[in-house]
Amino acid sequence: MNILVINCGSSSLKFQLIDSNTEECKASGLCERIGMDESCITYKPANGEKEKKVSPMPDHKEAIRLVIEALTNEKTGALKSLSEIDAVGHRLVHGGEKFNKSVIINDEVIKAVEECNDLAPLHNPANIIGINACKALMPNVPMVGVFDTAIHQTMPAKAYLYGTPYEYYEKYGVRKYGFHGSSHSFVSKRAAELVGKSYEDCKTIVCHLGNGSSICAVENGKSVDTSMGLTPLEGLLMGTRSGDIDAGALEYIMKKENIDFKEMMTILNKKSGFLGVSGVSSDCRDVESAAADGNERAKAAMDVFFYRVAKTVGGYIAAMNGVDVIAFTAGIGENDKHTREEIMKYFGYMGIKIDAEKNSLRGEEVMISTPDSKVKVYVIPTNEELKIARETAALVK
Ligand code: AMP
């Protein structure tokens, strides 16, 4: 089956065309600056050159039309005609407590996703725009929604409840939801396979470390805790997000800086994390190289990052009363040997040992622990689009 996987943001749209039988990505690309000047589409067929074209895209419908045009282009297209698209899989950010698995999209589902808009006001409306644009151009093609939050719906109340008045949970759904679901699910399944255990009998910790970072504890095939919360702001130090902070500090900063809550949130989401602490960049590579050159703030940013990841992994080992495998994934997790080494140093007491040579490999699936390590540690490149294509194919079959 040809599955078109769509990841729709407010002004961008990423896509991949995946053959669900061979799991091959036949083409991929990105529409940028939708609704702005100089919007452009980048398209790359599997065995061809990447092409970038400036093309007006006043809305997402036009963006999808251009995606279809590129996919069916006579010379470079991966398809002969639109009719070869068997299904569309949409990455949907927030399904609240309404969705604990992927679903075939119908009007009822769209309404329920809309009801979660308050929980993800930047992401969910954009996801729905993407769904409606596909519906308008491909009315007879089935669509599936795959939620970032769904796999975490198995968390027990002790993991998801905040210490706020219970009525906020009851009235407004204030609780931890967690994100990066497709990645945590894809990587934890693969980790169980690699250590030769059944998914239903394996304790895995997935460290998804990228521009946005989160960790997930997967016990016997179920997410039992994760570091992001009601929103992706909770947890680790990230590219531009602060991660955990004492809420009391917000009032203090707002008073001192004379800023309102909206501005405070912009600072926590866009001007904090690696960028805010180091003052160098939100990109881990820049911060690490500044730290290596002796920049103290950059070093502090990296140290906070390593420490928080290690504390979270340690906490999840306690939560599951053990761990079989720890997996690193996403931009930093897959590529940065120094980060993996520094984090794993915290677990020497547990008998976890890292093989320096294996850890030097970049961006490939590899076991980086030594054969006598008490816990196996892997790098597993994530593939969220493939996970979405698999879920989509399974539901529309
Ligand atoms: P992602 O959000 O998964 O695309 O990851 C983006 C992050 O990965 C950025 O902070 C990059 O700095 C980081 N990254 C990518 N390649 C490397 C690398 N070779 N070493 C360290 N960090 C990297």
Side-chain angles (χ1 to χ4, degrees):
M1 283 174 120
N2 285 316
I3 312 286
L4 178 61
V5 176
I6 300 273
N7 182 352
C8 204
S10 53
S11 64
S12 70
L13 186 153
K14 283 192 230 160
F15 64 94
Q16 275 193 20
L17 182 74
I18 295 178
D19 179 335
S20 63
N21 302 324
T22 60
E23 301 209 324
E24 172 208 3
C25 172
K26 292 176 151 182
S28 61
L30 168 69
C31 299
E32 290 169 284
R33 300 181 57 82
I34 300 170
M36 303 178 198
D37 290 344
E38 300 202 10
S39 30
C40 61
I41 174 166
T42 307
Y43 173 75
K44 175 156 185 344
N47 300 315
E49 293 291 310
K50 193 190 260 187
E51 297 164 12
K52 191 168 180 175
K53 194 171 88 179
V54 174
S55 191
M57 283 177 229
D59 54 29
H60 288 72
K61 192 169 159 195
E62 179 59 13
I64 305 260
R65 200 191 63 73
L66 288 167
V67 169
I68 294 169
E69 194 176 275
L71 286 170
T72 53
N73 180 286
E74 218 174 294
K75 283 196 192 122
T76 53
L79 300 172
K80 287 200 184 66
S81 81
L82 178 61
S83 64
E84 288 178 9
I85 297 178
D86 296 301
V88 180
H90 289 270
R91 176 191 180 193
L92 303 180
V93 169
H94 217 308
E97 286 190 331
K98 291 178 196 289
F99 297 98
N100 60 8
K101 54 180 186 298
S102 305
V103 284
I104 301 255
I105 296 174
N106 55 27
D107 290 345
E108 207 181 309
V109 166
I110 295 176
K111 197 162 159 276
V113 175
E114 273 168 352
E115 282 165 13
C116 300
N117 278 1
D118 278 356
L119 291 166
L122 293 179
H123 294 101
N124 274 25
N127 295 161
I128 292 166
I129 289 171
I131 292 174
N132 286 329
C134 286
K135 205 168 126 184
L137 291 162
M138 297 175 269
N140 299 319
V141 178
M143 295 194 284
V144 167
V146 181
F147 297 88
D148 267 17
T149 50
I151 79 150
H152 304 299
Q153 280 298 303
T154 48
M155 281 189 289
K158 65 183 175 186
Y160 71 68
L161 280 180
Y162 292 130
T164 44
Y166 195 75
E167 69 205 63
Y168 298 153
Y169 167 60
E170 291 180 305
K171 284 199 288 189
Y172 313 124
V174 174
R175 52 160 283 178
K176 182 188 274 280
Y177 289 95
F179 296 88
H180 291 139
S182 296
S183 179
H184 288 306
S185 172
F186 179 88
V187 174
S188 59
K189 278 198 180 126
R190 184 70 190 133
E193 273 169 29
L194 287 168
V195 297
K197 294 197 90 162
S198 95
Y199 193 45
E200 287 69 35
D201 182 29
C202 190
K203 294 175 180 177
T204 309
I205 295 174
V206 179
C207 303
H208 177 112
L209 310 178
N211 192 30
S213 293
S214 74
I215 305 190
C216 181
V218 182
E219 185 174 13
N220 305 338
K222 293 192 171 109
S223 165
V224 291
D225 206 348
T226 191
S227 59
M228 282 178 169
L230 178 102
T231 76
L233 186 54
E234 190 180 338
L236 308 172
L237 182 100
M238 306 180 217
T240 59
R241 294 188 197 121
S242 64
D244 290 345
I245 178 170
D246 175 2
L250 309 187
E251 188 192 19
Y252 185 76
I253 297 168
M254 284 161 66
K255 270 194 192 146
K256 291 283 182 196
E257 292 277 310
N258 194 23
I259 55 175
D260 62 13
F261 197 68
K262 191 160 176 255
E263 202 172 335
M264 185 75 250
M265 290 310 287
T266 304
I267 291 166
L268 294 177
N269 275 300
K270 306 253 184 241
K271 298 182 181 170
S272 299
F274 282 140
L275 176 66
V277 178
S278 72
V280 173
S281 164
S282 63
D283 191 304
C284 177
R285 286 166 288 200
D286 301 336
V287 182
E288 275 197 306
S289 91
D293 291 343
N295 180 322
E296 286 300 323
R297 276 176 58 184
K299 187 170 175 328
M302 292 311 303
D303 284 345
V304 173
F305 178 62
F306 302 148
Y307 183 66
R308 283 203 189 177
V309 173
K311 273 202 309 185
T312 309
V313 170
Y316 291 171
I317 294 173
M320 296 192 289
N321 199 4
V323 62
D324 296 305
V325 49
I326 297 171
F328 286 94
T329 196
I332 302 172
E334 289 169 30
N335 294 300
D336 188 358
K337 64 175 179 182
H338 178 63
T339 287
R340 296 190 296 258
E341 190 182 294
E342 289 299 318
I343 293 166
M344 283 298 121
K345 273 187 193 163
Y346 283 95
F347 297 92
Y349 75 97
M350 277 187 60
I352 296 185
K353 293 187 204 159
I354 297 301
D355 178 325
E357 206 175 304
K358 293 263 178 61
N359 189 40
S360 303
L361 298 169
R362 245 188 69 191
E364 52 182 277
E365 188 177 274
V366 61
M367 183 172 92
I368 58 169
S369 48
T370 58
D372 63 336
S373 173
K374 284 268 159 54
V375 176
K376 290 190 167 61
V377 185
Y378 276 87
V379 172
I380 303 178
T382 193
N383 194 337
E384 290 163 285
E385 288 78 13
L386 178 56
K387 173 73 192 165
I388 294 170
R390 283 179 184 168
E391 296 270 310
T392 304
L395 275 174
V396 300
K397 243 174 205 167

